[in-house]
Each structure stands twice: as structure tokens, then as C-alpha cells.
Amino acid sequence: MKTFRIYNFGCKVNQEEGAAIAALFRTAGWQEVQAGGADLMIINTCTVTQVADKKARNLIRRFGREYPQAIIAVCGCYAQRAADEIMALGGVHVVAGVDNRQMLPQLVESYLETQTTLMAVDDIAQSHAFKQIAVDSSQQRSRAYLKIEDGCDQFCHYCVIAHVRGPVRSLAPELALAQAHQLVDQGHAEIVLSGIHIGAYGSDFGDEQALPQLIHEICAIPGLQRLRLGSIEPQQFTPGLKQVLAEEKKVCRHLHIPLQSGCNRTLLEMGRRYDTAFYAQLLCELRQLGGDIAFTSDVMVGYPGETEEDFLASLAFCQSCGFAGSHVFPYSRRAGTPAA
């Protein structure tokens, strides 16, 4: 039996997508191995920072050295952004972009037949439909991830994700609900709604109530104990979303709300669509919903032009927010963005 190993970089969405890729290959008759070499080595990449790109390149080179007989397939966000750069490294046989990962088994089989390197990377800006990699990724833990959205329309000045993930695309509500039922039937006590910007769920088909309604319907599934929400942008907390958070007791009382900076001048330079007063008021309103909600966030330091005064203002604001935890990271230059 042919064997494969998959290595996932990046966010939880990418991890979930990696599990779906693995499910595709198992369905196609491949056997997954968790360590060492395999007939096929799949690298599912991230490109949110320069470090992410470098780690992917280093792993591609290492796999090429250590497993010279293996097929190396590279996919995901870095592959979407820089497919030619990856091919130029040498030793890569298949490259697939974000929306082409569901084709990986066919691409690999084609390579086996023709021994010709293959690249499948489309113009992601022209992608307007939510594409599932695999409906059932056979998740093993009690907590299961349900990806309901892909893409981003924000184009923050430092970020390349909107360029490599394409516009917002939402999984149809009836399909999302059906998959939630399936996950609960499989024994998962907790579901995590995930996506690049789940707060934008439904905006592509003009339904502002799509996310609150989906939350209501999933919480009504018998046997579900907890529903957890992925990262939601501050400006995406609509009145309907706040209401459902107040009403549905199965929703986990933890919200991850990216801040990026606690300095208004820096937020403006970043192209963020709120200021610190808006963010502070949002936390106040959410705390009033009850249930002792915990907040976590993302904060960037070293943004181009950030002064010591700006940094101290950001630090003071973060301290005032009472975060339960935060992911603090340095600015990373991404070619093609205004900040770069």
C-alpha cells in the first residue's frame, strides 16, 4: 500500500484543512504515517510571516535530502502566493494552491503516471464559491472543527492573507448544519466553528443574520455540549451576534477578538476599521452579556513607523482590556502590501 505523511504549518484552519487532505488520501487507498519517510510527503504551508515561508522552504529542502525517493507535494497559502519560488527550490513534484488542494490525489496520480511536475494554482481573486476539501476528515478528538468560511475582504495594510485566500466564501447554511449533525452523531461533544473570518459568514450571499442563525441551529442539536467560535473581528459583532451570545448557553464563554494595536495612530496606519474606544466599548458590552466571558487577542509590535510613545500607548491599552491571554508577535514584511 502506498504511504503518505502530511506536515501542516500555520493556523487552526490550516490544521483542519490538513486533516481533510489526509482524509482524501485515505479514501483514495493511501496509508498515513505519522513520522519518518513515506512514498508521498505533503507540506501544507502558511505564509502569514516571513518566518512561515522560511520554515516551509527549509522543510522542503530537508525532505528532499532525507527522502530522495519520495514524491514531494506542496500546497496551501505559501504555494498560492509563490508557486514559482517553490518550484525553483528543486525536488518538488506537485504544487497546489488554496482552492486546488482537493485535487491533490489526482495530481499525485498524474505525476506517478507521467513523471512530469505539476502546478495547480488558480487566480484566487476569481474564486467565488466555498470549496470543501473533504466532507469527513475523521477527526479523532472530542473537539471537532467545522470550517464554515474562507477568504477575507479586509486587506489590512500589513497582511497578505486576503491576497492568498481570496474573497469571503461561506459554506451553505444547510450544509454547515448537516455537517454539525454528523459530527455530533460521530461522538464529538464540542464543535469549533472555524474560518479565515467567521464573522463575515453569510456576507457573500447578503445575509447578516446567517452566523447568528447557524449558531442557534447548531446549539439545538441534541448531544452537543459546547459550541466554540473561532476568531471574530471587532467590527463583525452585529446586534444579532451579540444577542445569540447572550441567549445560547452552549456557546463557550471565550472569544478571540484581534486587536493588533492599542494605539489609534497605528490602527489607522494598519487600515484597521475601528479605534480603541470602539474596541473597549465592545468588550464592555460583551461582558454585560454575563457568563464571565474571557477574551484573548492578537497584538502586533514593531509596525513600520511605530514610535516608543505608540508602543507604550498600545501596551497600556492592552493592560486595560483584561485579556486572559494574547498572542504578541513582531511585524513581518509581506511583499505587495502597503506596509511593505
Side-chain angles (χ1 to χ4, degrees):
M1 180 178 287
K2 296 174 291 188
T3 60
F4 75 96
R5 177 183 170 192
I6 184 165
Y7 194 102
N8 297 300
F9 286 99
C11 64
K12 288 201 170 84
V13 175
N14 226 38
Q15 304 295 319
E16 179 192 357
E17 290 166 340
I21 293 169
L24 283 181
F25 277 93
R26 289 194 298 269
T27 300
W30 293 68
Q31 179 180 344
E32 184 174 8
V33 298
Q34 301 297 330
D39 298 317
L40 169 64
M41 308 293 283
I42 305 169
I43 303 172
N44 187 30
T45 62
C46 169
T47 194
V48 71
T49 65
Q50 292 177 332
V51 172
D53 291 352
K54 182 178 180 180
K55 286 181 177 179
R57 289 194 297 270
N58 288 344
L59 189 65
I60 291 167
R61 293 188 183 102
R62 181 164 71 83
F63 280 176
R65 290 193 307 269
E66 295 180 359
Y67 312 112
Q69 303 305 315
I71 302 167
I72 296 180
V74 183
C75 61
C77 292
Y78 182 36
Q80 180 69 43
R81 188 181 66 80
D84 290 335
E85 183 177 301
I86 290 170
M87 280 295 196
L89 295 174
V92 176
H93 306 101
V94 175
V95 175
V98 165
D99 259 7
N100 303 96
R101 286 176 290 186
Q102 74 270 27
M103 298 166 51
L104 273 170
Q106 295 95 316
L107 292 170
V108 170
E109 290 297 336
S110 180
Y111 172 78
L112 287 170
E113 292 175 5
T114 65
Q115 297 296 300
T116 301
T117 56
L118 297 169
M119 184 189 299
V121 181
D122 297 331
D123 181 2
I124 197 70
Q126 302 304 313
S127 181
H128 300 293
F130 185 94
K131 293 184 179 179
Q132 291 182 276
I133 296 174
V135 175
D136 181 10
S137 60
S138 301
Q139 300 177 65
Q140 301 300 316
R141 299 181 179 179
S142 60
R143 176 188 295 176
Y145 288 86
L146 173 55
K147 182 183 170 187
I148 61 170
E149 183 273 343
D150 206 342
C152 174
D153 295 330
Q154 295 198 98
F155 291 94
C156 296
H157 293 174
Y158 54 83
C159 188
V160 75
I161 296 304
H163 301 272
V164 299
R165 282 283 181 170
V168 169
R169 284 109 59 210
S170 303
L171 177 64
E174 62 274 15
L175 295 179
L177 185 60
Q179 289 186 31
H181 274 281
Q182 182 180 17
L183 290 170
V184 174
D185 289 343
Q186 290 170 351
H188 298 288
E190 178 178 328
I191 291 176
V192 184
L193 297 185
S194 69
I196 301 303
H197 279 299
I198 67 167
Y201 178 79
S203 63
D204 49 326
F205 40 80
D207 186 357
E208 189 180 83
Q209 293 301 310
L211 181 59
Q213 182 63 30
L214 181 61
I215 292 171
H216 269 306
E217 292 178 348
I218 292 178
C219 286
I221 297 174
L224 179 70
Q225 296 180 22
R226 178 182 291 171
L227 180 66
R228 189 182 296 267
L229 305 181
S231 176
I232 301 179
E233 293 292 309
Q235 68 276 18
Q236 293 172 339
F237 281 87
T238 63
L241 181 55
K242 294 174 187 176
Q243 181 178 351
V244 77
L245 292 176
E247 294 174 353
E248 292 295 351
K249 303 309 178 186
K250 287 184 180 180
V251 176
C252 182
R253 312 319 276 177
H254 164 235
L255 297 172
H256 187 86
I257 309 174
L259 171 63
Q260 305 305 353
S261 176
C263 169
N264 284 332
R265 192 185 76 83
T266 306
L267 286 172
L268 185 63
E269 290 291 324
M270 288 177 166
R272 301 293 283 175
R273 304 178 185 183
Y274 54 86
D275 58 16
T276 54
F278 179 92
Y279 192 95
Q281 179 62 28
L282 173 63
L283 296 191
C284 182
E285 292 177 7
L286 292 173
R287 285 190 169 105
Q288 290 174 358
L289 300 179
D292 194 23
I293 296 180
F295 299 108
T296 55
S297 193
D298 300 322
V299 182
M300 186 186 301
V301 296
Y303 191 77
E306 183 183 64
T307 66
E308 183 70 11
E309 182 181 4
D310 296 336
F311 171 80
L312 292 174
S314 185
L315 175 60
F317 182 76
C318 289
Q319 291 171 328
S320 75
C321 289
F323 291 133
S326 57
H327 173 217
V328 183
F329 57 100
Y331 165 77
S332 182
R333 185 181 187 274
R334 301 282 70 200
T337 62

